[in-house]
């Protein structure tokens, strides 16, 4: 990630809560730090008119170069990309049928997915398919997926197989992508892979995906957008959905050019340098936490194999004086608010993700986290209500403007 500077005056000027993001690329925090190349591209195109189809054809070229796919396009988000790809599998190149979605998809509208993949990334992934009119057909059990279970749900009404790569999916007992693709393809069914947070631009297509969806605003540091890459006929059918359900998922000229710039910047980025910087940050945090009673800090790899490590901070509540959840909660209440990766806090740990830090912020995080553990040891940290924490994603909406 770029060396953005921590400019707190921005927050003062706008009356916004100052944030240090050590949770990863989160929609609720504004996704990621957009790379300068994308910012420049967006500023360049915003005051001008362009032929949007021409611009998207150009984006297709850049996406093809990055992924090895035949073609691609940019849409509003990865979530939109899922809906458009599923719609493509349902309608093919028929604009009349595209206009009838989602109410009248026709009989061939089933989207099969192993049940452990039906996760929530801020919204249910299955709903993104249903938005296109698909009938979702889950198969297998949460941690037990066998070939015959997939074969049993494939039939003449199957439009596509949906495969999700994410830290949100069940992490064992799932069918690997090559096998999923092999069985789907034997039945003539195209495979759509949601790889929104994945760094691997080529592997899923090589493993048998017909369409892959990436997010432009996560690791890429692009504008808020989604990237679709894959088979030319399916990419064309997905892009055509802009005549129908895709309208509400419209992407602007700035996001198309910004995404192209982010893809080019990604290819030119000093990835080894970024990793070295992140490793130094993790080491700093780990050293500061060593010796605190009841705390274990380990550097752990990304669960889906992205080239990214995080600091896993396990907390023994009895010894440290507070739970991992309370530590994360207290960090989020400070100023600036330090937002940690806490989706597994109920298991007794939180994580620090170093990939979205501005210059100087690693040190602030180190100081604040030690301070919070000091307060925990004194017994002055409040334990949050775990049910409130668990329901927070919904409560933030329910309480908004209330
Ligand atoms: C983030 C994410 C999405 C949604 O991406 P957006 O671009 O924010 O719509 C979809 N699927 C997975 C697995 C994700 O991680």
């Amino acid at each position: 990630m770029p060396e953005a500077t921590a400019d707190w005056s921005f927050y003062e000027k706008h009356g916004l809560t100052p944030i240090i993001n050590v949770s990863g690329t989160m929609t609720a925090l504004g996704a990621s730090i957009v790379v300068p190349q994308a910012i420049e591209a967006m500023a360049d195109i915003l005051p001008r008119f362009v032929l949007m189809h021409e611009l998207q054809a150009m984006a297709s070229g850049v996406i093809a170069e990055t992924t090895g796919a035949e073609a691609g396009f940019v849409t509003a988000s990865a979530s939109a990309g899922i809906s458009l790809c599923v719609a493509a599998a349902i309608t093919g190149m028929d604009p009349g049928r595209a206009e009838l979605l989602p109410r009248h998809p026709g009989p061939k509208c089933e989207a099969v997915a192993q049940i452990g993949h039906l996760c929530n990334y801020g919204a249910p992934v299955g709903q993104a398919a249903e938005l296109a009119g698909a009938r979702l057909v889950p198969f297998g059990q949460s941690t037990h997926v066998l070939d015959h279970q997939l074969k049993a749900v494939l039939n003449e009404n199957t439009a596509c197989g949906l495969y999700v790569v994410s830290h949100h999916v069940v992490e064992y007992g799932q069918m690997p992508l090559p096998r999923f693709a092999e069985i789907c393809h034997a039945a003539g069914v195209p495979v759509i892979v949601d790889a929104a947070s994945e760094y691997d631009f080529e592997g899923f297509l090589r493993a048998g995906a017909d369409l892959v969806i990436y997010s432009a605003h996560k690791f890429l540091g692009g504008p808020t957008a989604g990237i679709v890459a894959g088979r030319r006929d399916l990419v064309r059918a997905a892009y055509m959905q802009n005549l129908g359900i895709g309208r509400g998922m419209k992407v602007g000229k700035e996001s198309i050019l910004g995404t192209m710039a982010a893809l080019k910047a990604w290819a030119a980025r000093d990835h080894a340098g970024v990793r070295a910087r992140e490793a130094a940050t993790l080491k700093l945090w780990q050293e500061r936490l060593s010796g605190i009673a009841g705390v274990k800090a380990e550097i752990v790899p990304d669960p889906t194999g992205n080239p990214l490590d995080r600091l896993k901070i396990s907390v023994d509540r009895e010894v440290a004086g507070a739970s991992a959840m309370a530590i994360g909660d207290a960090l989020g209440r400070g100023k600036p608010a330090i937002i940690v990766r806490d989706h597994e806090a109920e298991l007794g740990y939180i994580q620090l993700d170093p990939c979205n830090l501005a210059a100087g912020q690693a040190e602030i995080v180190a100081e604040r986290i030690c301070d919070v553990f000091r307060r925990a040891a004194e017994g002055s940290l409040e334990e949050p209500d775990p049910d409130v924490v668990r329901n927070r994603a919904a409560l933030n909406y329910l309480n908004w403007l209330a």
Side-chain angles (χ1 to χ4, degrees):
M1 279 292 135
E3 278 293 298
T5 46
D7 182 3
W8 302 115
S9 70
F10 165 87
Y11 295 94
E12 225 152 87
K13 180 168 121 195
H14 295 283
L16 287 164
T17 304
I19 301 283
I20 293 178
N21 176 13
V22 282
S23 65
T25 49
M26 298 295 158
T27 288
L29 299 179
S32 60
I33 298 170
V34 176
V35 296
Q37 294 91 330
I39 294 172
E40 197 180 313
M42 289 191 279
D44 212 17
I45 200 172
L46 274 166
R48 302 175 212 287
F49 294 108
V50 291
L51 295 172
M52 292 293 274
H53 294 306
E54 183 179 79
L55 184 62
Q56 284 279 23
M58 222 170 261
S60 175
V62 176
I63 294 166
E65 202 164 298
T66 308
T67 61
E70 291 172 4
F73 70 97
V74 181
T75 182
S77 63
S79 196
I82 297 166
S83 300
L84 299 180
C85 287
V86 171
I90 292 171
T91 70
M93 283 302 288
D94 184 337
R97 293 192 60 200
E99 274 194 34
L100 290 173
L101 297 183
R103 265 187 106 73
H104 301 291
K108 192 173 174 174
C109 68
E110 293 181 0
V112 303
Q114 45 199 322
I115 199 162
H117 279 199
L118 296 180
C119 62
N120 186 304
Y121 47 70
V125 64
Q127 189 184 33
E130 289 171 330
L131 260 181
R135 188 160 59 245
L136 202 60
V137 180
F139 69 91
Q141 291 90 44
S142 58
T143 58
H144 183 83
V145 184
L146 306 183
D147 293 5
H148 70 258
Q149 297 166 339
L150 173 54
K151 288 176 184 164
V153 295
L154 295 172
N155 60 55
E156 70 280 5
N157 289 331
T158 309
C160 62
L162 182 61
Y163 194 97
V164 183
V165 185
S166 169
H167 66 278
H168 292 301
V169 305
V170 175
E171 63 186 341
Y172 70 98
Q174 307 305 296
M175 186 181 295
L177 178 58
R179 190 67 175 150
F180 182 83
E182 188 186 334
I183 295 173
C184 284
H185 289 163
V189 170
V191 171
I192 298 168
V193 174
D194 171 11
S197 304
E198 303 309 301
Y199 288 50
D200 184 349
F201 276 122
E202 294 171 1
F204 307 112
L205 287 162
R206 273 206 305 265
D210 298 285
L211 287 169
V212 186
I213 298 120
Y214 295 98
S215 180
H217 53 261
K218 293 187 177 174
F219 61 92
L220 264 182
T224 299
I227 298 166
V228 171
R231 244 170 62 188
R232 191 179 186 84
D233 60 330
L234 289 170
V235 165
R236 291 180 66 225
Y239 182 56
M240 189 196 68
Q241 305 300 325
N242 285 302
L243 290 168
I245 61 163
R247 180 62 181 213
M249 310 169 189
K250 181 165 76 177
V251 66
K253 57 194 172 187
E254 71 282 9
S255 292
I256 303 171
L257 197 68
T259 297
M260 290 162 66
L263 284 167
K264 289 177 193 162
W266 180 257
R269 189 177 301 183
D270 171 19
H271 292 278
V274 171
R275 283 216 84 183
R277 247 199 332 271
E278 290 174 357
T281 298
L282 292 173
K283 211 82 217 124
L284 165 80
W285 290 337
Q286 193 178 33
E287 278 165 17
R288 293 296 180 84
L289 287 168
S290 72
I292 299 180
V295 178
K296 187 171 80 174
E298 316 157 81
I299 295 169
V300 296
D302 177 76
T304 63
N306 288 316
L308 167 73
D309 295 334
R310 301 189 178 89
L311 193 70
K312 177 179 176 182
I313 305 173
S314 303
V315 183
D316 182 335
R317 182 175 173 169
E318 298 309 316
V319 181
S323 68
M325 205 176 272
I327 299 294
D329 188 63
L331 286 164
R333 284 170 193 279
K335 196 173 168 198
I338 295 176
I339 311 297
V340 303
R341 201 169 177 85
D342 67 350
H343 62 284
E344 291 168 326
E346 68 193 88
L347 299 174
Y349 60 85
I350 52 174
Q351 293 180 72
L352 304 184
D353 184 318
C355 77
N356 281 299
L357 289 172
Q361 291 184 344
E363 188 59 45
I364 300 174
V365 172
E367 277 167 28
R368 283 276 307 286
I369 201 160
C370 290
D371 183 53
V372 165
F373 274 116
R374 252 192 309 277
R375 282 161 53 206
E378 290 163 3
S380 57
L381 272 203
E382 219 174 287
E383 282 297 328
D385 178 344
D387 288 320
V388 170
V389 172
R390 195 169 50 80
N391 286 288
R392 194 171 45 195
L395 291 173
N396 285 339
Y397 283 99
L398 292 171
N399 295 332
W400 184 68
L401 291 187

